[in-house]
Amino acid sequence: MVVVMASEATESDLDNVVSLVESAGGEAFVSRGVNRTIVGLVGDAERFEALNLGGQHGVVEVVRISAPYKLVSREHHAERSTVHVGGVPIGPGTMTLIAGPCAVETPEQTLEAALMAQSAGATLLRGGAFKPRTSPYAFQGLGEEGLRILADVRAETGMPIVTEVVDARDVELVARYADMLQIGTRNTQNFALLQAVGEAGKPVMIKRGMSGTIEEWLMSAEYVAQRGNLDVVLCERGIRTFEKATRNTLDISAVPVAQRLSHLPVIVDPSHSGGHRDLVLPLTRAAIAIGADGVIIDVHPHPETALCDGPQALVREDLAELTELMRALPPVVGRSLTAPAAAVPA
Amino acid sequence: MVVVMASEATESDLDNVVSLVESAGGEAFVSRGVNRTIVGLVGDAERFEALNLGGQHGVVEVVRISAPYKLVSREHHAERSTVHVGGVPIGPGTMTLIAGPCAVETPEQTLEAALMAQSAGATLLRGGAFKPRTSPYAFQGLGEEGLRILADVRAETGMPIVTEVVDARDVELVARYADMLQIGTRNTQNFALLQAVGEAGKPVMIKRGMSGTIEEWLMSAEYVAQRGNLDVVLCERGIRTFEKATRNTLDISAVPVAQRLSHLPVIVDPSHSGGHRDLVLPLTRAAIAIGADGVIIDVHPHPETALCDGPQALVREDLAELTELMRALPPVVGRSLTAPAAAVPA
Amino acid sequence: MVVVMASEATESDLDNVVSLVESAGGEAFVSRGVNRTIVGLVGDAERFEALNLGGQHGVVEVVRISAPYKLVSREHHAERSTVHVGGVPIGPGTMTLIAGPCAVETPEQTLEAALMAQSAGATLLRGGAFKPRTSPYAFQGLGEEGLRILADVRAETGMPIVTEVVDARDVELVARYADMLQIGTRNTQNFALLQAVGEAGKPVMIKRGMSGTIEEWLMSAEYVAQRGNLDVVLCERGIRTFEKATRNTLDISAVPVAQRLSHLPVIVDPSHSGGHRDLVLPLTRAAIAIGADGVIIDVHPHPETALCDGPQALVREDLAELTELMRALPPVVGRSLTAPAAAVPA
Amino acid sequence: MVVVMASEATESDLDNVVSLVESAGGEAFVSRGVNRTIVGLVGDAERFEALNLGGQHGVVEVVRISAPYKLVSREHHAERSTVHVGGVPIGPGTMTLIAGPCAVETPEQTLEAALMAQSAGATLLRGGAFKPRTSPYAFQGLGEEGLRILADVRAETGMPIVTEVVDARDVELVARYADMLQIGTRNTQNFALLQAVGEAGKPVMIKRGMSGTIEEWLMSAEYVAQRGNLDVVLCERGIRTFEKATRNTLDISAVPVAQRLSHLPVIVDPSHSGGHRDLVLPLTRAAIAIGADGVIIDVHPHPETALCDGPQALVREDLAELTELMRALPPVVGRSLTAPAAAVPA
């Protein structure tokens, strides 16, 4: 059950709702979005019914929700949501291009990649400072040094930053630099990490687990939402199947399915799905055409020397075609390419 | 190894090549396409080298092919092929809409569905007279009576027919009525059936096996090609994965991958992939955007009474949107919707 | 709904039941097993109820069955069945070893393999004369010549023959030689073939589809049973998953699951599951311990020159260990190794 | 490359090796096992060759390893390892039964489950105090209170404890109570957590990821080993496939494959694989027969009220059969059921 508070509701209105729920032996989870605050209830629904929550001051609506995820369900919020990342919207009506290097390696490489991305229409910069790697002997990222590089490139280009966090103990650090925190596919069910980013005060992007069902993905988003953060973006990045011609199998159907089940924005990662440079643009076209709210793409000035996932990065020669498709395709599906953020967040 | 014959090569040129190959202990498989005849060689490549096949009369080219599929490989034929079905092209440059009922039930239902399909831009009519069903107790199709209904509707609408054959013993019968023979997902490795349709003198559409790799799919096409029939269309229809929110997982990446490996046209079946009516149009948009050469869609005038797969059929209310997207989207990717066949084949 | 006839029921008792069912607009499928004849009904259950079928002469029992498979379901036949192949039982209480070469190549190779198999306790000989191969360029089997070799080896060793049939047009031919007809994993949903073997008068072994669910596997068996043949053996041979360290992933749990859902015997193919010689014996141990009714194993006198699947064949050096485990393990799970057939069928 | 130190090597011998490696621009990872200390080298192998590491004081052997995992590879340590947990061995020659409740709920329930487990031959107690749950609204475990209950039950029964840790920040806490730390399937690629348990000074059990390849599983073990802890046990618990008749598909072949690739012990979890009580004993028999070094089983005195995974727990009625199979089956494969620890660790 979810209680939706009025935008003008006061803290004492909220406290009142929480107290009532607790008095009925339940738990109340308060989530504050930009436009509304909602309270998720866990406990005995019949006892909650008796509380007359809908009649309390500051309460707009009380919704019973049959899905196992409550706060992120479209059942309680029919309108699809827009999440703002450093002023850049991700949501219905727009098509947001997020691009940058898979891993931050040097200031020069990061800036070059950012400028490449920006020239093709990207308004958000991706780049990894903490890299989860299958092998303990592989490059694990530059850590805080990488975050500083990203911040410098943001200052120079005006592009807000999306970067991954892999350890709950690093959330505070990463959140000081990042505009959106990314949860990678291997951590989609790292519940301690999900709860930590839920409390970090920054938007969160959750990649789908490589063998995660759509329902499990929404449950991961619910972990974040339950800690008070409704600014969550879902990212489809391919699932693991028997087919080995591609790195993963992009589950393109997951975009409309997730959008029907949840009000959260859904974007697509064509780079990690296909795993080959020559699949990135075709998959990007498919993602836009099916109605994704954004795409996140690897670009690299010198992929042959990349420390991570070079074979799937777009290069300079691809930028003209990327630029053209980001211009031409969104209008055909009733969207416009997202404009740059007016101001760069600190 | 593949020997490509000149368009003006004679039968005796061809016999000469075959004899040489056999003299070297090899086997020669002759495939006659509309524009060229090719000979696939099996045996000891070094002994073939010594035959100077390239210098024989009527031979244009000799190509060594590293892929396990030879005749359908793009290695020996860089240009992508167009297959003509009763005069309707499927191939690069065009976007062909194939639509109709999953199963032929009555003359009225079939005609209604065909007219719905045609109104949305379809130039080929799909419809099943022989239905492979998981349960022996489910409706198995009308058989030859269904084929007659399809032929009548073709006469009335001018739409060539695509229909499935499930038994090698029925190939001759089905080929008398059909303009293109369809091999379903459960028969993709029914090699006896593949060989039979390879000799039937009609174009063939091969659906991908529900757990078939892209390589296996191309090997199935090779079975048909090896029997002399290069007019093969590949159809991606979703693969079986752990995700159960959709009937199958549409492997959209398979379109560009198969087009890069093979010169054959590749189309998409958004109806059987998603298994839900409300996923058909989004998946169709993705298929067109990624560069498919066609789509094949279930439509039904009264899906609530359909004998097969009603939940995934488009209905009358969907036609306006389908029509509009078939008009607007192909030009964005450099294609035009295929025009109707000028004349209806017998 | 299934009608079980008494063992002493006459043909006219049976005709009476069929007529009644048809008079109620239904269809009746008669299946004759060794010990009982049953009639599967398709149509309106409420109208069938009104027929008082249970009160008809020669009828033992009328059973409503909720599973989609009827005749093979354990709901109507709680006791697990034994299938006899040329006098050799496969079923509860025994452990039957079927072994031989993947493909019949020469009389010598087949006899050698059969003697190897027999020395390790095998009582049935496997060997392929018709081989379904992914590539049209691979060895496709010796055809009828292979069947003749198998018959000769049967005459010499006394081992009844299990061999694959891949084309409905060959069923009559293969059934003249074979003691059990094998349906391979690629043909598990080749319904025309299933129906043809259902009418051939010989026991049938159905391998699980490489991406077939257990329910689909039982539905394939139902196709055979519906044509009047209840002598069906199910064979688990590994399913297709993301894991590539083995050729397939042996779904060992499928053995107890299928045995709980169906009364049919269930055996395991450890050779095609693992795809490596050194996995065959460990997987055989697991199959016996979990309660399989038999195992089917590739053996080859000279696997390095095998025309098919050499790497997974057991060789002479493995026979002592195989013999020992076939002796020691079945008793621990309450079974005994099946004894040789007393007489060799023609 | 791995450097194996002599058992009598001194700290200064070790420092010398590390210094040499660093002088050649490489990194050295020191892992101290009970019987030997090894040093994993990362860097330029050719430069390492020039160091004459094999000739240094205290060095037994220098091994080049082609697998991507080094320290856990069987290439550098042909003999299979035994890991001791509170005095109880897990390794070749023995069969160790680990059993207990999925989640610790109350002192009474935990003690009852432990006594049930012990009566059937279990020598290690499993039980979860921190539970990773797909839903944020599900029971998440008792936390430290649960650990205290486990410690009390250990004191009473003498059974060392295996329990899960889900957050790197809790490793120190859990390690104070546990005898073996468990990494669950959702955290198999939570690299921060793997590194933390690698430094905790307690044996670690790593469950296979639900869509993890065998190679990825060994790489996860390598993360732990690289931090100096070679006391790692691998646990196969089923993978995610298309088949939904079981909770997961137990990949029984993974046992011999992982044992051939790695020297680490490999155990099986039949409870979480099958997900049904009636599959637990059959899967246990298969696990023992194939050569697993142990099994880990859910038992519960009152599964109908269990807070977690009740349907898969064995109950009192199952204990006689479990006891009997743990007694009878291991000797058939050359093992004996592990005896209780002589002394209980603090």
Side-chain angles (χ1 to χ4, degrees):
Chain A
M1 201 175 276
V2 165
V3 176
V4 183
M5 305 300 294
S7 54
E8 67 277 11
T10 63
E11 281 302 304
S12 90
D13 290 341
L14 193 58
D15 290 348
N16 173 44
V17 167
V18 171
S19 300
L20 281 170
V21 169
E22 291 173 354
S23 73
E27 285 179 282
F29 294 90
V30 178
S31 288
R32 297 165 204 269
V34 174
N35 300 313
R36 65 212 146 90
T37 292
I38 63 182
V39 188
L41 312 194
V42 178
D44 181 340
E46 289 200 14
R47 292 185 65 186
F48 295 157
E49 296 283 7
L51 297 173
N52 185 23
L53 290 166
Q56 302 300 312
H57 199 263
V59 169
V60 170
E61 198 183 5
V62 177
V63 195
R64 291 194 78 149
I65 295 178
S66 58
Y69 35 88
K70 311 292 178 193
L71 307 176
V72 307
S73 167
R74 209 159 168 184
E75 281 183 64
H76 102 268
H77 190 60
E79 199 187 337
R80 299 198 53 238
S81 297
T82 294
V83 169
H84 288 83
V85 180
V88 174
I90 304 177
T94 49
M95 161 51 51
T96 304
L97 175 57
I98 308 170
C102 185
V104 172
E105 298 164 22
T106 65
E108 296 71 28
Q109 165 256 10
T110 306
L111 179 59
E112 271 192 84
L115 293 172
M116 287 169 63
Q118 201 167 38
S119 80
T123 43
L124 293 172
L125 175 64
R126 62 151 295 158
F130 293 92
K131 301 298 303 174
R133 302 303 295 276
T134 300
S135 168
Y137 305 115
F139 174 62
Q140 312 268 323
L142 295 180
E144 187 168 5
E145 169 62 15
L147 296 173
R148 276 192 291 264
I149 293 174
L150 285 168
D152 289 347
V153 172
R154 172 177 54 195
E156 181 133 354
T157 62
M159 299 172 80
I161 300 167
V162 181
T163 197
E164 181 164 359
V165 57
V166 298
D167 189 335
R169 296 166 299 189
D170 295 331
V171 167
E172 207 186 350
L173 169 71
V174 179
R176 278 208 301 279
Y177 291 90
D179 299 287
M180 179 154 68
L181 300 170
Q182 174 179 325
I183 301 295
T185 190
R186 291 172 184 78
N187 282 310
T188 302
Q189 293 200 311
N190 180 340
F191 302 119
L193 182 60
L194 291 171
Q195 290 173 329
V197 298
E199 292 166 355
K202 287 286 171 71
V204 176
M205 183 220 293
I206 303 181
K207 291 211 168 179
R208 180 172 175 193
M210 66 179 73
S211 69
T213 63
I214 294 173
E215 181 172 311
E216 287 170 341
W217 192 22
L218 297 180
M219 292 306 288
S220 297
E222 185 80 6
Y223 261 94
V224 176
Q226 198 213 42
R227 293 298 165 121
N229 187 348
L230 281 171
D231 289 330
V232 179
V233 173
L234 300 167
C235 179
E236 161 64 31
R237 47 76 70 202
I239 58 174
R240 186 164 270 186
T241 70
F242 62 84
E243 177 60 69
K244 300 300 172 197
T246 47
R247 183 172 175 182
N248 296 285
T249 297
L250 179 65
D251 182 5
I252 195 77
S253 319
V255 176
V257 171
Q259 288 176 339
R260 195 179 55 216
L261 296 173
S262 169
H263 57 86
L264 300 177
V266 181
I267 69 171
V268 166
D269 179 341
S271 305
H272 285 77
S273 324
H276 295 291
R277 176 187 156 205
D278 58 0
L279 288 173
V280 175
L281 293 176
L283 291 176
T284 299
R285 293 198 306 266
I288 297 174
I290 209 167
D293 300 303
V295 287
I296 179 165
I297 293 179
D298 285 14
V299 297
H300 199 287
H302 309 290
E304 65 287 358
T305 64
L307 294 177
C308 175
D309 289 342
Q312 74 195 26
L314 290 188
V315 299
R316 234 173 271 283
E317 290 84 326
D318 301 311
L319 294 182
E321 189 177 343
L322 176 61
T323 308
E324 171 56 18
L325 84 85
M326 294 308 303
R327 190 197 60 71
L329 207 45
V332 183
V333 290
R335 292 175 183 261
S336 57
L337 184 62
T338 304
V344 188
Chain B
M1 202 174 275
V2 165
V3 176
V4 184
M5 304 301 292
S7 54
E8 67 278 10
T10 63
E11 282 301 304
S12 90
D13 290 343
L14 192 59
D15 290 347
N16 173 46
V17 168
V18 172
S19 299
L20 282 170
V21 169
E22 291 173 355
S23 73
E27 285 179 282
F29 295 91
V30 177
S31 288
R32 296 167 206 268
V34 174
N35 300 313
R36 67 213 145 90
T37 293
I38 63 182
V39 188
L41 312 192
V42 179
D44 181 340
E46 290 200 14
R47 293 186 62 186
F48 296 156
E49 297 283 7
L51 297 173
N52 185 25
L53 290 167
Q56 302 299 311
H57 199 263
V59 169
V60 170
E61 197 182 5
V62 177
V63 195
R64 288 195 79 150
I65 296 179
S66 57
Y69 34 88
K70 310 294 178 191
L71 307 176
V72 308
S73 168
R74 209 161 167 183
E75 281 184 64
H76 102 269
H77 190 60
E79 198 187 336
R80 299 198 54 238
S81 296
T82 295
V83 170
H84 288 83
V85 180
V88 174
I90 304 178
T94 50
M95 161 51 51
T96 303
L97 174 58
I98 308 170
C102 185
V104 172
E105 298 165 21
T106 66
E108 297 71 29
Q109 166 256 11
T110 306
L111 179 59
E112 271 193 84
L115 293 172
M116 288 169 63
Q118 201 167 37
S119 79
T123 43
L124 293 172
L125 173 65
R126 62 151 297 159
F130 293 93
K131 301 298 303 175
R133 302 302 295 276
T134 300
S135 167
Y137 305 114
F139 175 61
Q140 312 269 325
L142 295 181
E144 187 168 4
E145 169 62 16
L147 296 173
R148 276 193 292 264
I149 293 173
L150 285 169
D152 289 346
V153 172
R154 172 176 55 195
E156 182 135 355
T157 62
M159 298 172 81
I161 299 167
V162 181
T163 196
E164 182 164 358
V165 57
V166 298
D167 189 335
R169 295 168 298 189
D170 295 331
V171 166
E172 207 187 350
L173 170 70
V174 179
R176 278 208 300 278
Y177 291 90
D179 298 288
M180 179 154 68
L181 300 170
Q182 175 178 325
I183 300 295
T185 190
R186 291 172 185 78
N187 282 310
T188 302
Q189 293 199 311
N190 180 339
F191 303 119
L193 182 60
L194 292 171
Q195 290 174 328
V197 300
E199 293 166 355
K202 288 286 171 72
V204 176
M205 183 221 292
I206 303 181
K207 291 209 167 181
R208 182 173 174 192
M210 66 180 72
S211 69
T213 63
I214 293 172
E215 182 172 310
E216 287 171 341
W217 191 24
L218 298 180
M219 292 306 288
S220 297
E222 186 79 5
Y223 262 95
V224 176
Q226 198 213 42
R227 292 297 164 124
N229 187 348
L230 281 170
D231 289 329
V232 179
V233 173
L234 300 166
C235 179
E236 162 64 31
R237 46 77 69 201
I239 57 174
R240 186 164 270 185
T241 70
F242 62 83
E243 177 60 69
K244 300 301 172 197
T246 46
R247 181 172 176 181
N248 295 285
T249 297
L250 179 65
D251 182 6
I252 195 76
S253 319
V255 176
V257 171
Q259 287 176 340
R260 194 180 56 219
L261 296 173
S262 170
H263 57 86
L264 299 177
V266 182
I267 70 171
V268 167
D269 179 341
S271 304
H272 285 78
S273 322
H276 295 292
R277 176 187 155 204
D278 58 0
L279 289 173
V280 175
L281 294 175
L283 291 176
T284 299
R285 293 198 306 266
I288 297 174
I290 208 167
D293 300 303
V295 288
I296 179 166
I297 294 180
D298 286 13
V299 298
H300 200 287
H302 309 290
E304 65 287 357
T305 63
L307 294 177
C308 174
D309 289 342
Q312 74 195 25
L314 290 189
V315 299
R316 236 172 270 284
E317 290 84 326
D318 301 311
L319 294 182
E321 189 176 344
L322 176 61
T323 308
E324 172 56 19
L325 84 84
M326 294 308 302
R327 190 198 59 72
L329 207 45
V332 183
V333 290
R335 292 176 183 259
S336 57
L337 184 62
T338 304
V344 187
Chain C
M1 201 174 276
V2 165
V3 176
V4 183
M5 304 301 292
S7 54
E8 68 278 10
T10 64
E11 281 304 303
S12 90
D13 290 342
L14 192 60
D15 289 349
N16 173 45
V17 167
V18 172
S19 299
L20 281 170
V21 169
E22 289 173 357
S23 72
E27 285 179 281
F29 294 90
V30 177
S31 288
R32 296 167 205 269
V34 173
N35 300 315
R36 66 212 145 91
T37 292
I38 62 182
V39 188
L41 312 194
V42 178
D44 182 338
E46 291 201 12
R47 291 186 63 187
F48 295 156
E49 297 283 8
L51 297 174
N52 185 24
L53 289 167
Q56 301 301 312
H57 198 262
V59 169
V60 170
E61 199 181 5
V62 177
V63 195
R64 290 195 79 150
I65 295 178
S66 57
Y69 35 87
K70 310 294 177 192
L71 307 176
V72 308
S73 167
R74 208 158 166 184
E75 282 184 61
H76 101 269
H77 191 60
E79 198 188 336
R80 299 198 55 239
S81 297
T82 294
V83 170
H84 288 83
V85 180
V88 175
I90 304 177
T94 50
M95 160 52 51
T96 304
L97 174 57
I98 308 170
C102 184
V104 172
E105 298 165 22
T106 65
E108 296 70 29
Q109 165 255 9
T110 306
L111 179 59
E112 271 193 84
L115 294 173
M116 287 168 64
Q118 201 166 38
S119 79
T123 41
L124 294 173
L125 174 65
R126 64 150 296 159
F130 293 93
K131 302 297 304 174
R133 303 302 296 274
T134 301
S135 167
Y137 305 115
F139 174 60
Q140 312 268 323
L142 295 180
E144 187 169 4
E145 170 62 14
L147 297 174
R148 275 192 292 265
I149 293 174
L150 285 169
D152 289 347
V153 173
R154 173 177 52 196
E156 180 135 356
T157 62
M159 299 172 82
I161 300 167
V162 181
T163 196
E164 182 164 359
V165 57
V166 299
D167 188 333
R169 295 167 299 189
D170 295 332
V171 167
E172 206 186 350
L173 169 70
V174 179
R176 277 208 302 277
Y177 292 89
D179 298 288
M180 179 153 69
L181 300 169
Q182 175 178 327
I183 300 296
T185 190
R186 293 172 183 79
N187 282 311
T188 301
Q189 293 199 310
N190 180 340
F191 302 118
L193 182 59
L194 292 171
Q195 291 173 330
V197 299
E199 292 165 355
K202 287 286 172 72
V204 176
M205 184 221 292
I206 303 181
K207 290 208 168 182
R208 183 173 174 192
M210 66 179 73
S211 71
T213 62
I214 293 173
E215 181 171 312
E216 288 171 341
W217 191 24
L218 297 181
M219 292 306 286
S220 297
E222 185 79 6
Y223 261 95
V224 176
Q226 197 212 43
R227 292 298 165 123
N229 187 347
L230 282 170
D231 289 328
V232 179
V233 173
L234 300 166
C235 179
E236 161 65 31
R237 48 75 71 201
I239 57 175
R240 187 163 269 186
T241 71
F242 62 84
E243 177 60 68
K244 299 302 173 197
T246 46
R247 183 172 177 181
N248 296 285
T249 297
L250 179 65
D251 182 5
I252 195 77
S253 319
V255 176
V257 171
Q259 288 176 339
R260 195 179 55 216
L261 296 173
S262 170
H263 56 86
L264 300 177
V266 181
I267 68 171
V268 167
D269 179 341
S271 304
H272 286 78
S273 323
H276 295 291
R277 176 187 156 204
D278 58 1
L279 289 173
V280 174
L281 294 176
L283 291 175
T284 298
R285 292 198 307 264
I288 297 174
I290 209 168
D293 300 303
V295 289
I296 179 166
I297 294 180
D298 286 13
V299 298
H300 199 289
H302 309 290
E304 64 288 357
T305 64
L307 294 176
C308 175
D309 289 342
Q312 74 195 26
L314 289 189
V315 300
R316 234 173 271 284
E317 290 85 325
D318 301 311
L319 293 183
E321 189 177 343
L322 176 61
T323 308
E324 171 56 18
L325 83 83
M326 294 308 303
R327 191 197 60 71
L329 207 45
V332 183
V333 290
R335 291 177 184 260
S336 57
L337 184 62
T338 303
V344 187
Chain D
M1 203 174 274
V2 165
V3 177
V4 183
M5 304 300 294
S7 55
E8 68 277 11
T10 63
E11 280 303 303
S12 90
D13 290 340
L14 192 59
D15 290 348
N16 172 45
V17 168
V18 171
S19 300
L20 281 170
V21 169
E22 290 173 356
S23 73
E27 286 178 281
F29 295 91
V30 177
S31 287
R32 296 167 205 267
V34 174
N35 301 315
R36 66 213 146 92
T37 293
I38 63 182
V39 188
L41 311 194
V42 178
D44 182 340
E46 291 200 12
R47 293 186 64 189
F48 295 157
E49 297 283 7
L51 297 172
N52 185 24
L53 290 167
Q56 301 301 311
H57 198 261
V59 169
V60 170
E61 197 182 6
V62 177
V63 195
R64 290 195 79 150
I65 295 179
S66 59
Y69 34 86
K70 310 294 178 193
L71 307 176
V72 308
S73 167
R74 208 158 167 185
E75 283 184 62
H76 102 269
H77 190 60
E79 198 188 338
R80 301 197 54 237
S81 296
T82 294
V83 171
H84 288 82
V85 180
V88 174
I90 304 178
T94 49
M95 160 53 51
T96 304
L97 174 58
I98 308 171
C102 184
V104 172
E105 299 165 21
T106 65
E108 296 72 27
Q109 165 256 9
T110 306
L111 179 59
E112 270 192 85
L115 293 173
M116 286 168 65
Q118 202 167 37
S119 78
T123 41
L124 293 172
L125 175 65
R126 64 150 295 160
F130 294 92
K131 301 297 303 174
R133 302 302 296 274
T134 301
S135 167
Y137 304 116
F139 174 62
Q140 312 269 325
L142 295 180
E144 188 169 3
E145 170 62 15
L147 296 174
R148 275 192 292 262
I149 293 173
L150 285 169
D152 289 347
V153 172
R154 173 177 52 195
E156 181 134 355
T157 62
M159 298 171 82
I161 299 168
V162 181
T163 196
E164 183 164 358
V165 57
V166 298
D167 188 335
R169 297 167 298 190
D170 295 332
V171 167
E172 207 186 350
L173 169 70
V174 179
R176 277 207 301 277
Y177 291 89
D179 298 287
M180 179 154 69
L181 301 169
Q182 175 178 325
I183 301 295
T185 190
R186 292 171 184 78
N187 282 310
T188 301
Q189 293 199 310
N190 180 340
F191 302 119
L193 181 60
L194 291 171
Q195 291 173 328
V197 298
E199 293 166 354
K202 287 286 171 72
V204 177
M205 184 222 292
I206 304 181
K207 290 209 168 182
R208 182 172 174 192
M210 66 178 73
S211 69
T213 63
I214 293 172
E215 181 171 311
E216 287 171 341
W217 191 24
L218 297 181
M219 292 307 286
S220 297
E222 186 79 6
Y223 262 95
V224 176
Q226 198 213 42
R227 293 299 165 122
N229 187 348
L230 281 171
D231 289 329
V232 179
V233 173
L234 300 167
C235 180
E236 161 65 32
R237 47 75 71 201
I239 57 175
R240 187 164 269 186
T241 71
F242 63 83
E243 178 60 69
K244 299 302 173 197
T246 45
R247 183 173 177 180
N248 296 284
T249 297
L250 178 66
D251 182 6
I252 195 77
S253 319
V255 176
V257 171
Q259 287 176 341
R260 194 179 55 217
L261 296 173
S262 169
H263 57 85
L264 300 177
V266 181
I267 69 171
V268 167
D269 179 341
S271 305
H272 286 77
S273 322
H276 295 291
R277 176 187 155 205
D278 58 0
L279 288 173
V280 174
L281 294 176
L283 291 175
T284 299
R285 292 198 306 264
I288 297 174
I290 209 168
D293 299 304
V295 288
I296 179 167
I297 294 180
D298 286 14
V299 297
H300 200 288
H302 309 289
E304 65 287 357
T305 63
L307 294 177
C308 174
D309 289 341
Q312 74 194 26
L314 289 189
V315 299
R316 233 172 272 284
E317 290 85 327
D318 301 311
L319 294 182
E321 190 177 343
L322 176 62
T323 308
E324 172 56 18
L325 84 84
M326 295 307 302
R327 189 196 61 71
L329 207 44
V332 183
V333 290
R335 291 177 183 261
S336 56
L337 184 63
T338 304
V344 188

